[in-house]
Every structure is written in structure tokens, then in C-alpha cells.
Amino acid sequence: MTTRYRVEYALKTHRRDQFIEWTKALLAVPFVLYSQPHGVFEDPDSSVNTLSQTREEAHRRYSEIFRDLEAMIDDHIAHQNDAENLFPSKLKLLVPSVGPFFTRLPLEAAFKFQDNKRYISSRRFVSPSFNDIRLILNSAQIMAVTTYGTLQLATFDGDVTLYDDGQSLEPTSPVIPRLLDLLRKNVKIGIVTAAGYTSADRYYARLHGLLDAMANSADLTPSQKQSLVVMGGEANYLFEFDSSSPHLLSPVPRQHWLTPEMAAWNEQDITQLLDVAEAALRDCIKTLNLPATLMRKDRAVGIIPTSPEIRIPRESLEETVLLVQKILELSTVGRSRRVPFCAFNGGRDVFVDIGDKSWGVTVCQRWFSQKEPSGPHGIIKGENTLHVGDQFLSAGANDFRARSVGTTAWIASPAETVELLDELAELMGKKMS
């Protein structure tokens, strides 16, 4: 599935982000009141002033709404940090699905920044969109992690975030110099991907452009080069950069990085959960007549096309994810909740992994914290972590879980990742100066 259709489909199906939808509805009112689409039919000489006044008034009203949202989020944060307060915040009452916030969000400033880029206030026929608000939230979040705290760890999804779906991080990718810049600024990097390879050569094939650039860099210190890890299979295989390795990555034995909670996961439960998932996937292949074959790994099970040129319809992939997810949730091992899992649509395939990206990001936080326990910032917390990914909405959106352990930025393409990193670099430069 191409990036454009994958994102468009995700934005229309199953589980829309209620906070974004609610914000979009708030902005619809001033749009209707001040857009004045009839202005295109007015006298050209008078319509210039009318358009300018309309734009200014729409900008003012949009800014007010985002300023009010800022205050509501501040109130929500105060409620979530007060264990003795049993009453929900106003925001929680209005948007029941809203989760925790690790930082306050300067939404008004972020809106003004994006309005200068996207001319949201100037539009008279197209109201503020889902994507407008998504990008405003992204800007607000990176403003927050650079203004109210220090960014210590940036984690990234692979496909559609660092490179196009099914492709690799080539040497010419504009993402690479931006990632190297983060390393120079002593920001740790974790690539947290669903790709569940057990050997370094497979990850090198996907990330060779970045890994070679790091190995050949003359201005990265050895410590900065050691500040990149790859967490594969959501939260199952950890590799760290190693310039002496033929594939520039060395596997880290599982017992060295498992969190205490992960170490308690029972192998019998893991096997049982994967058995249930395998049976459900076999039924989907048969019931939906999928041109797919089953693939079982030690910590995952999934279906892949029977040949590389085959594209399984996206509706079939989504149906498979939702069905398998429900079967696992209702199974004995699923109801016990002793082992977390993630069922997701990879664009060409469907997989069920043990764990999810919240655990993968947590491992990165703890790994770098234990390597530098006496570092300048100490333990890496959620407010010092930024996870960048594309899957926050569709069935089995595996980046969504990262919201529970750190701040997040929701992008729709590698090009958006480049824009986000440029924006982040500018903000970090201002803070350092």
C-alpha cells in the first residue's frame, strides 16, 4: 500500500483520534462564522479588504480556541498529578478517551507557527482539517520538549517514518543528516520497529545508510556513536551500534535489557498466546481466501503474501487484524493479561508480536539510563522522550501504545519526519543559544 493511501485509509477507519476530532469541531464554528465564501462573488476592489479582515478575525478566533485548550490541558495535567483528586478534569469529561500528558502543550504558539506555513486562517472553503490539527499538535509537542525540559531520547518507527513502506534507509536520505545532528547534540536515538529480525545483517540491510554514515563520521565521538540502538519486533530484539561489527550492530543478550516486568512474562503463556494467534490467522486465510502464507517466529506469528508481487487488499488486512485482536482478547491467555501483545497491519502483512512499542520505548529509556546512571540528566523520563511514528490510528496502530511512556509526534511520511526534525533542530538551537 502506498504511503498516501495507507494514511488516507487510516484517517477514515475504525478508531479516529477523539481529541483531534473534538478540536476540529471547535474550530468549525469560527470557520462557518468568518470564512465568508460568498466573498468570491463580491466586487474585486472591496473583496481584498474583506479577505484581509476575514483572515485576521479567523486567526484571532482560532488562536483563542487553542489558548483555551492549553488551559484545559494544564488543568488535566494538574488532575492526573493529584492522586487525592478523584474527580475527572473538564477535558476528561468532554473527551473521555483522552490519556495522560507528559508536558503542557503551547497550542496557541504552535497554531500560529503552522498557520504561517499552511495558511489555515486564509481558507474560505476548506475548514481546519484533521491533518492541520495533527501537525499543530506535533509542533506543540516539540516546542514543549525543548522549552519546558530537555530532550534526551528520540525514538523512531521504521517504515513510513524513516523510509518509504518496505524500503530501506539509503545513503541519500535527507533523514540521515538530521539524525546525526541529534546524536551530536547528545540526544539518544532508538529505532523501535516492528521488523522482528534476530540477526544484525537484516537490520543493516534496512538501515545501512545511517549506520555507514555513523561509522564514517569524523565529528561523532565514540560515546555519541554508542547512543543509537535498534529495538526490533516491537520489544523483543535489542541491537546497539558497534563499529567493529561487520554489520555495525551487535545483539544485546535479552537478559541484559529485559525490564523486571518483561522478565516475569512466562514462556508457556507466550507460546499459548502465539498458538491462539496462529489458529486465528489460519482461519482468516481460509475464510477470506487470502493469498498468504503463515510465518511463525519465537516471539511473533503472522501472515505474508505468497509471493512478493501480490498485494493483499487493505480491507482484508484490517479485517484480519481486528478479528485476531478480538479472539486474543477473549482467549484464556488474553484475558489473564499476563503477557501483552500487539496485532497490527504492516501494510503488506499482518503480525502478532509479544509486547508492543510502549515496552520497546521503555527498554530504550532504561538502557541508556543504566549505561549513564550518573549522566547530566539522570533517568530518562516520559517528558524527556519523543517517539515519532505513523501508526496512531488504524486497526493495530502499533505506535499508539508509545503514548503511554513518552511524548509523541504523528507523521504521515518520511518527508514529514524531515520537516519535524528541522523544526526540532531550530528550537533546540534557540534554547542552546
Side-chain angles (χ1 to χ4, degrees):
M1 190 186 305
T2 65
T3 298
R4 180 168 69 88
Y5 287 114
R6 181 174 176 182
V7 172
E8 288 178 356
Y9 184 68
L11 295 179
K12 295 176 182 175
T13 58
H14 303 308
R15 183 178 59 204
R16 299 189 71 90
D17 188 297
Q18 289 186 13
F19 180 75
I20 294 182
E21 289 293 341
W22 180 68
T23 304
K24 179 181 170 185
L26 293 179
L27 298 174
V29 175
F31 173 79
V32 171
L33 292 176
Y34 297 102
S35 63
Q36 295 187 3
H38 66 276
V40 296
F41 304 113
E42 294 178 350
D43 178 70
D45 294 331
S46 62
S47 65
V48 174
N49 290 333
T50 302
L51 177 59
S52 177
Q53 293 170 0
T54 297
R55 179 174 60 246
E56 291 175 4
E57 186 60 22
H59 179 87
R60 182 183 68 82
R61 294 296 297 271
Y62 291 154
S63 296
E64 289 176 349
I65 289 172
F66 280 110
R67 191 184 315 140
D68 290 340
L69 282 175
E70 274 189 53
M72 293 179 70
I73 291 174
D74 287 343
D75 172 69
H76 181 77
I77 292 173
H79 275 73
Q80 77 183 20
N81 294 339
D82 185 357
E84 296 182 0
N85 190 340
L86 302 180
F87 296 98
S89 67
K90 182 178 181 180
L91 182 61
K92 188 71 173 179
L93 289 171
L94 292 169
V95 189
S97 66
V98 72
F101 289 85
F102 291 95
T103 64
R104 65 183 308 271
L105 294 178
L107 290 172
E108 183 181 7
F111 161 70
K112 291 178 178 179
F113 175 81
Q114 286 293 339
D115 198 26
N116 286 332
K117 292 177 63 176
R118 299 174 69 82
Y119 302 97
I120 301 168
S121 300
S122 299
R123 300 200 304 243
R124 291 183 286 173
F125 288 91
V126 178
S127 62
S129 69
F130 191 101
N131 277 327
D132 289 329
I133 300 167
R134 174 178 62 83
L135 293 172
I136 290 167
L137 288 171
N138 284 352
S139 293
Q141 191 60 84
I142 65 172
M143 287 177 180
V145 296
T146 55
T147 302
Y148 308 132
T150 301
L151 179 63
Q152 300 175 39
L153 170 65
T155 60
F156 298 86
D157 176 41
D159 289 84
V160 187
T161 301
L162 295 179
Y163 40 80
D164 288 330
D165 193 16
Q167 302 303 307
S168 302
L169 196 51
E170 300 295 338
T172 55
S173 170
V175 171
I176 293 174
R178 276 84 176 172
L179 296 179
L180 296 180
D181 183 59
L182 283 180
L183 291 172
R184 291 188 194 98
K185 292 172 178 171
N186 297 314
V187 176
K188 314 298 184 185
I189 291 179
I191 298 175
V192 184
T193 171
Y197 309 136
T198 58
S199 58
D201 60 315
R202 300 291 301 277
Y203 289 110
Y204 175 79
R206 302 299 298 273
L207 304 169
H208 62 94
L210 172 62
L211 297 173
D212 287 339
M214 289 178 60
N216 297 326
S217 174
D219 57 354
L220 284 178
T221 67
S223 175
Q224 289 168 339
K225 290 182 180 182
Q226 286 295 309
S227 295
L228 179 136
V229 296
V230 178
M231 169 54 72
E234 312 285 356
N236 288 296
Y237 313 102
L238 184 67
F239 294 79
E240 63 176 342
F241 182 84
D242 182 358
S243 57
S244 65
S245 168
H247 300 108
L248 301 178
L249 291 169
S250 290
V252 181
R254 190 170 285 159
Q255 65 269 22
H256 291 173
W257 56 261
L258 283 178
T259 69
E261 299 87 350
M262 297 171 77
W265 296 349
N266 184 278
E267 290 296 329
Q268 185 175 352
D269 288 336
I270 291 174
T271 300
Q272 184 180 350
L273 190 144
L274 293 178
D275 287 344
V276 174
E278 180 176 338
L281 289 167
R282 288 188 187 279
D283 285 344
C284 287
I285 292 175
K286 181 178 180 181
T287 304
L288 299 174
N289 195 27
L290 301 178
T293 184
L294 197 84
M295 177 178 288
R296 178 76 177 253
K297 303 179 181 180
D298 67 325
R299 289 289 178 114
V301 61
I303 58 171
I304 60 174
T306 51
S307 62
E309 65 272 10
I310 290 178
R311 287 279 186 175
I312 301 174
R314 62 176 181 267
E315 295 84 358
S316 297
L317 294 174
E318 297 286 287
E319 173 71 15
T320 300
V321 169
L322 292 169
L323 181 60
V324 173
Q325 176 84 26
K326 183 57 64 176
I327 288 174
L328 286 171
E329 289 173 350
L330 296 176
S331 68
T332 302
V333 66
R335 291 198 308 272
S336 72
R337 298 188 177 182
R338 290 191 295 267
V339 177
F341 64 90
C342 178
F344 67 96
N345 170 7
R348 295 177 56 89
D349 50 33
V350 170
F351 268 88
V352 175
D353 283 335
I354 299 300
D356 56 55
K357 287 196 178 177
S358 69
W359 293 101
V361 173
T362 297
V363 168
C364 293
Q365 291 170 332
R366 297 193 182 190
W367 175 256
F368 288 121
S369 295
Q370 74 182 22
K371 287 189 71 175
E372 299 181 21
S374 58
H377 305 297
I379 301 298
I380 299 177
K381 301 178 181 178
E383 58 264 34
N384 308 119
T385 302
L386 177 69
H387 177 72
V388 183
D390 70 295
Q391 290 211 25
F392 286 93
L393 197 61
S394 64
N398 56 359
D399 290 304
F400 182 85
R401 308 283 182 88
R403 285 182 171 178
S404 64
V405 295
T407 69
T408 57
W410 179 359
I411 57 83
S413 68
E416 278 196 10
T417 301
V418 170
E419 291 182 13
L420 183 87
L421 292 176
D422 284 343
E423 191 177 334
L424 179 62
E426 182 179 354
L427 290 167
M428 293 179 73
K430 287 180 179 178
K431 184 171 183 179
M432 288 187 294
S433 61

